[in-house]
Amino acid sequence: MTGAASTDRRRFLTGGAAVLGAAATAQLWLPGTAQAAEIPLSEDVFSLGVASGDPLPDGVVLWTRLAPDPLNGGGMPDRNVSVQWQVASDARFRDVVRAGFTVARPALGHSVHVDVRGLRPGRTYWFRFRAGGQFSPTGRTRTAPAATATGALRVALASCQNWQQGYFTPYADMLEQDPDVVLFVGDYIYESTPSATAVRKHEGTGEPYTLTQYRNRYAQYRSDPGLAAMHANAPFVVTFDDHEVDNDYAGQVPQDPDKQTHDAFVDRITAAYQVYYEHMPVRATAVPSGPHIQMYRRLEFGRLARLNVLDTRQFRSDQATSQAGAQDPSTTMLGTEQKQWLLKGLRGSPARWNLIASQVMMAETDLKVGEGKLWYYDAWDGYQAERNALLKEFQQVRNPVVLTGDRHLTMVSDLRTDYADPGSPVVGAEFVGTSISSNGDQDQAAFHAQFDPLKGDNPHWKLVDAHRGYHLFDIRKDGIDARVRTVNTVLKPTATAGTLARLRVAAGSPGVSLA
């Protein structure tokens, strides 16, 4: 992205683009859609805003959900509703390049997923919807570069946004940094019960289990203005971790199997996956089939970067509870089919950079000072045979970089083939992004008192920090320049942001260094 283009896009952001849709006039829409011909709906039917995602060189997914009463199931009538959509090359829709109709169905929460094709690569577009005589806010999106392109790409890495533990203040800064795409690697919502002492309280009376309860929880999170604005201004690539369903679940095993039957948990997974699809800008390939959803997938950004998006929850073995269990070669994080898919995509990649979106940390975390090991079993440390085999494969992969969430910390590491041997080859780099709001404004002194003594046992760590924020990557042929962007608080609706650290991964030189 050139400096001039970036400036133009920022000017659009500050020029009130979010209200353009409401000011649109009927004559800009397709013939035969006058308001008089439409069945009226309750006011504020587009309360959840708009979003886009999974950009291709010629297309992108456009999303909205009709919900005039979002915190009470949505408030829509039990019938199909016709929704019109438009894509334009300009913010005022003088040049509409694609348009059409779709149907919002009650069976999918009146969500809308339009898979637009026929667009030009590497271009900015604006989009909007219309239903029941009402106009949505205007969204802005961007297609992926052409298949042969090698120009720069800006990616924001985000995860872990707990409504009760803070406002989503990092998104205001992310908006200013103007990424081409946002990679969200899990914990979009939290399933926890309402807390009377929370910064802002979850709606409802307990954890979500049903379609309506999950819909209400997602709607509450979507009401955060920072998150809504970011969705309306850049395409997201998403995957889920555990809190979209149940903390630390594995496959179809809940966190507390003694408190619910297997069938009851399968019903919960089924509801959670459906509502996840309903609220995410993903393609119809992700429409769930009962307690199963297709989430791992691959996106190309020219010859510059290939992005492999993993699903590290749905196919994993239950978590280990001992060191022997963590080293058991029969356990899996990915499952056989996904593992083979990943290896094939890495081995045959034509891209300069091979990015892997992994919800949980791949590098080792040794939580014991001195002799012996104490691992965090919910991450890849609990699946070491598969992890170590994958890292050995990285020796044959061009510039592998893993992008992760989950830990509520910034943890930037070299990836090695054998963490039992500090002298083993470095084969890649991993960026574990800090949380948007989870853990709130963490006590930095207490954090450093816990983690600083561990650095000698984890020499592969290059940076560990506990401020809230996100990571920003400028990806070019010669290297990836990364910035850890943090905010001074998530306990108030606004915050001051800054760069905590700069790091670099040089092409052809595995590992990461502080810049």
Side-chain angles (χ1 to χ4, degrees), residues 141-366:
T141 190
R142 189 167 180 82
T143 52
T148 58
T150 57
L153 180 72
R154 177 169 284 189
V155 178
L157 172 66
S159 65
C160 304
Q161 49 190 29
N162 191 318
W163 177 273
Q164 297 199 129
Q165 293 178 359
Y167 295 90
F168 302 163
T169 57
Y171 283 119
D173 180 69
M174 188 187 293
L175 196 67
E176 287 296 316
Q177 302 303 321
D178 203 20
D180 296 304
V181 64
V182 179
L183 175 60
F184 196 97
V185 292
D187 294 345
Y188 190 95
I189 64 160
Y190 279 71
E191 86 295 5
S192 48
T193 58
S195 169
T197 60
V199 177
R200 45 183 185 171
K201 185 179 177 181
H202 277 154
E203 295 286 341
T205 57
E207 292 190 17
Y209 289 88
T210 67
L211 286 172
T212 297
Q213 290 169 338
Y214 275 109
R215 284 168 180 163
N216 293 345
R217 185 61 56 90
Y218 275 92
Q220 183 175 30
Y221 276 58
R222 281 293 186 119
S223 72
D224 182 274
L227 176 60
M230 199 63 241
H231 267 303
N233 282 283
F236 274 53
V237 175
V238 301
T239 187
F240 56 81
D241 193 22
D242 54 341
H243 289 288
E244 288 88 349
V245 180
D246 179 42
N247 181 49
D248 285 354
Y249 83 101
Q252 294 185 1
V253 180
Q255 179 185 27
D256 300 307
D258 57 325
K259 294 182 180 179
Q260 57 187 307
T261 67
H262 176 264
D263 288 349
F265 188 61
V266 168
D267 288 343
R268 186 181 192 182
I269 293 173
T270 299
Y273 286 172
Q274 176 173 325
V275 178
Y276 183 81
Y277 170 78
E278 290 175 359
H279 288 83
M280 295 296 120
V282 292
R283 292 190 162 80
T285 52
V287 174
S289 175
H292 305 287
I293 185 171
Q294 180 62 45
M295 192 50 55
Y296 67 83
R297 61 204 188 280
R298 185 172 293 124
L299 295 164
E300 311 285 354
F301 295 88
R303 294 295 293 270
L304 182 68
R306 167 172 283 186
L307 174 60
N308 302 277
V309 182
L310 301 185
D311 173 352
T312 60
R313 282 290 160 192
Q314 193 173 182
F315 308 106
R316 66 159 69 186
S317 308
D318 196 10
Q319 283 91 341
T321 57
S322 66
Q323 291 193 20
Q327 296 171 317
D328 183 347
S330 69
T331 60
T332 180
M333 177 75 81
L334 302 176
T336 301
E337 184 176 320
Q338 182 179 193
K339 181 167 58 178
Q340 293 305 314
W341 166 87
L342 175 61
L343 292 175
K344 182 178 179 181
L346 292 173
R347 291 166 179 164
S349 173
R352 183 78 162 182
W353 296 95
N354 286 284
L355 310 178
I356 300 170
S358 169
Q359 295 91 323
V360 293
M361 186 171 176
M362 190 170 288
E364 183 177 83
T365 299
D366 180 2

Side-chain angles (χ1 to χ4, degrees), residues 2 37 83 148 258 390 419 423:
T2 65
V83 180
T148 58
D258 57 325
L390 180 58
Y419 285 104

Side-chain angles (χ1 to χ4, degrees), residues 388-409:
N388 293 347
L390 180 58
L391 291 178
K392 286 182 172 61
E393 288 280 348
F394 279 12
Q395 295 179 95
Q396 309 303 321
V397 176
R398 194 179 192 190
N399 297 318
V401 176
V402 178
L403 305 175
T404 308
D406 179 59
R407 298 300 300 272
H408 309 169
L409 303 171

Side-chain angles (χ1 to χ4, degrees), residues 30 43 56 64 101 185 200 206 280 288 320 338 358 363 408 447 496:
L30 291 174
E43 292 184 7
L56 303 174
T64 191
F101 295 89
V185 292
R200 45 183 185 171
M280 295 296 120
Q338 182 179 193
S358 169
H408 309 169
F447 166 77
T496 300

